[in-house]
Amino acid sequence: MKKNPPDTPARIIDVSWDDFLALPIEEKSRLVTKRDGLPFHTLFAQQFDREALDALCELASEIRTIAKGRAGMDFLQSLLSHKRAMLYFSQPSSRTFLSFLSACQILGLRTGSVRDAATSSEFKGESHEDSIRTFSSYFDLLIMRSPEKGLAEKMAWRLSNSSRPVPIINAGSGPDQHPTQALLDIYTLQRSFERRGGLRNRTVVFVGDLKRGRTVRSLSNLLLNYEGIRQVFVAPDALQIGEDILEMLRAHGVEYRVGSDLRAELPRADAVYMTRIQDEWDTTKGESARIDTSRFKIGPEEMKLLPPTGVLLHPLPRRDEISTAVDDDPRAVYWRQMRNGMWIRAALIAATFGLKTTVDEFYRRNV
Ligand code: CP
């Protein structure tokens, strides 16, 4: 797992904000990762290596199993009953908010929330920094979603340099990162293939708005940790994946294809990751509506092209890119994927507070 090597600052408090901002993401990741290789702050997909991903997936499955019985649930709810979490979501969310809330409830954390900056003192002109410091005065964990790229990172640095250095979990920041969505996507892929040779030597096809979809960017990053994963990007030209992601894939020697023919890719896919058009990021009125997206949708006819062993994922919410007629197809795993988010987020919170060994031991003794 990633450790702080002797030639980098051991802790985030040893670097100024400007120096921190200028660091490569791998070094920033080291500064927000604990010595056990699991996150203190969760900010970037890049901070998870294979060992950390395996540890979190294992922990999620243990928590899932332990939670099935009353004694197990009582144990889980005792773990963090002395802690409080703040959910600060200044961008709309159903799944991420509710799965984090449920994850907190599973672990006994009490919660508070702000879901609209207009209801906080930011409306009166308070800065993000002061808001975050206010939250950290009352809470022991801050889970935040923001439309502002890099805000979670800046706030993590700010809190680490305050008298209340509470952990921050990035629940989606701007169009850039959604690391916990990528964790649940990996957990879903891992579970989908665990009895069929595991998550290796697979073709993952990303479809839709790949340019502005932060979930795709974060998952593409995490897939680097798995051997022989081919990545295929299928989108209209105007919404195609960014050159920075392709550069990352080239640097890691990952096989990839960029194209626009979904029907040609489906028979070769092990996993298809659909996304909706992210028109909330349009810079001109009606920009997305002018793009022809009709060839980037999946219905019963397209499902006939997907192999019987293939799986269909979607971070949700969806619009019309997956027909509801597909929902009962056993290869459509997006509802399971959504529920997996609750378990992996519970695992992440438990790991953030250093509880992996405690859960492992309970699991070994009782399950
Ligand atoms: N996948 C996802 O982030 O969904 P929400 O926007 O509903 O949280």
Side-chain angles (χ1 to χ4, degrees), residues 124-181:
K124 295 183 267 182
E126 185 165 58
S127 67
H128 290 316
E129 278 90 341
D130 285 1
S131 290
I132 298 289
R133 289 196 71 165
T134 303
F135 301 150
S136 75
S137 298
Y138 305 131
F139 295 94
D140 307 290
L141 170 67
L142 184 50
I143 301 162
M144 63 180 287
R145 168 173 285 194
S146 162
E148 211 174 299
K149 182 180 174 186
L151 186 63
E153 178 183 342
K154 175 115 190 251
M155 294 306 116
W157 180 88
R158 187 73 206 87
L159 284 190
S160 283
N161 288 281
S162 77
S163 55
R164 285 276 302 163
V166 308
I168 284 191
I169 297 179
N170 178 0
S173 58
D176 186 39
Q177 287 267 358
H178 196 347
T180 66
Q181 176 70 44

Side-chain angles (χ1 to χ4, degrees), residues 8-34:
T8 58
R11 295 175 306 167
I12 196 169
I13 58 170
D14 296 327
V15 271
S16 69
W17 167 242
D18 286 341
D19 287 346
F20 182 74
L21 189 61
L23 287 172
I25 205 156
E26 290 73 20
E27 289 193 36
K28 286 182 195 173
S29 295
R30 271 196 283 277
L31 293 179
V32 297
T33 299
K34 296 186 277 111

Side-chain angles (χ1 to χ4, degrees), residues 269-284:
D270 294 297
V272 178
Y273 191 93
M274 296 295 291
T275 62
R276 73 177 166 87
I277 302 305
Q278 310 258 323
D279 49 13
E280 66 269 37
W281 301 109
D282 280 3
T283 50
T284 57

Side-chain angles (χ1 to χ4, degrees), residues 196-213:
R196 292 190 269 139
L199 181 51
R200 68 167 71 86
N201 301 326
R202 305 281 175 185
T203 299
V204 178
V205 179
F206 293 98
V207 186
D209 189 343
L210 310 183
K211 182 180 176 185
R212 304 176 292 187

Side-chain angles (χ1 to χ4, degrees), residues 174-350:
D176 186 39
Q177 287 267 358
H178 196 347
T180 66
Q181 176 70 44
L183 289 177
L184 76 91
D185 296 337
I186 285 289
Y187 185 45
T188 303
L189 288 168
Q190 195 222 57
R191 285 175 69 79
S192 298
F193 296 119
E194 69 184 346
R195 292 194 183 88
R196 292 190 269 139
L199 181 51
R200 68 167 71 86
N201 301 326
R202 305 281 175 185
T203 299
V204 178
V205 179
F206 293 98
V207 186
D209 189 343
L210 310 183
K211 182 180 176 185
R212 304 176 292 187
R214 57 193 176 194
T215 66
V216 171
R217 300 175 60 79
S218 290
L219 179 56
S220 177
N221 253 293
L222 282 196
L223 286 170
L224 298 178
N225 291 288
Y226 296 83
E227 190 190 325
I229 302 293
R230 295 166 292 277
Q231 300 193 26
V232 181
F233 302 97
V234 178
D237 286 348
L239 300 176
Q240 194 45 274
I241 192 74
E243 185 55 34
D244 60 329
I245 294 290
L246 300 181
E247 180 55 44
M248 172 192 80
L249 297 180
R250 286 192 288 273
H252 286 81
V254 172
E255 190 183 328
Y256 71 84
R257 272 197 308 282
V258 176
S260 58
D261 191 346
L262 175 58
R263 292 178 72 88
E265 295 297 345
L266 284 173
R268 300 182 278 202
D270 294 297
V272 178
Y273 191 93
M274 296 295 291
T275 62
R276 73 177 166 87
I277 302 305
Q278 310 258 323
D279 49 13
E280 66 269 37
W281 301 109
D282 280 3
T283 50
T284 57
K285 196 168 163 45
E287 178 186 336
S288 294
R290 286 192 289 275
I291 299 170
D292 179 8
T293 55
S294 56
R295 289 181 301 118
F296 305 92
K297 296 180 184 185
I298 289 202
E301 284 308 307
E302 287 73 23
M303 287 303 273
K304 288 180 189 160
L305 300 172
L306 184 67
T309 52
V311 286
L312 178 63
L313 291 87
H314 193 310
L316 303 177
R318 73 171 153 191
R319 288 183 183 161
D320 62 352
E321 61 279 357
I322 299 181
S323 158
T324 53
V326 165
D327 286 2
D328 294 329
D329 187 308
R331 295 168 295 173
V333 298
Y334 32 88
W335 300 112
R336 269 180 271 161
Q337 179 187 358
M338 188 172 75
R339 190 164 163 81
N340 286 340
M342 178 177 74
W343 300 118
I344 201 81
R345 286 172 171 134
L348 177 66
I349 293 169

Side-chain angles (χ1 to χ4, degrees), residues 350-362:
T352 300
F353 285 103
L355 291 167
K356 179 158 185 353
T357 307
T358 309
V359 176
D360 288 346
E361 280 169 6
F362 182 92

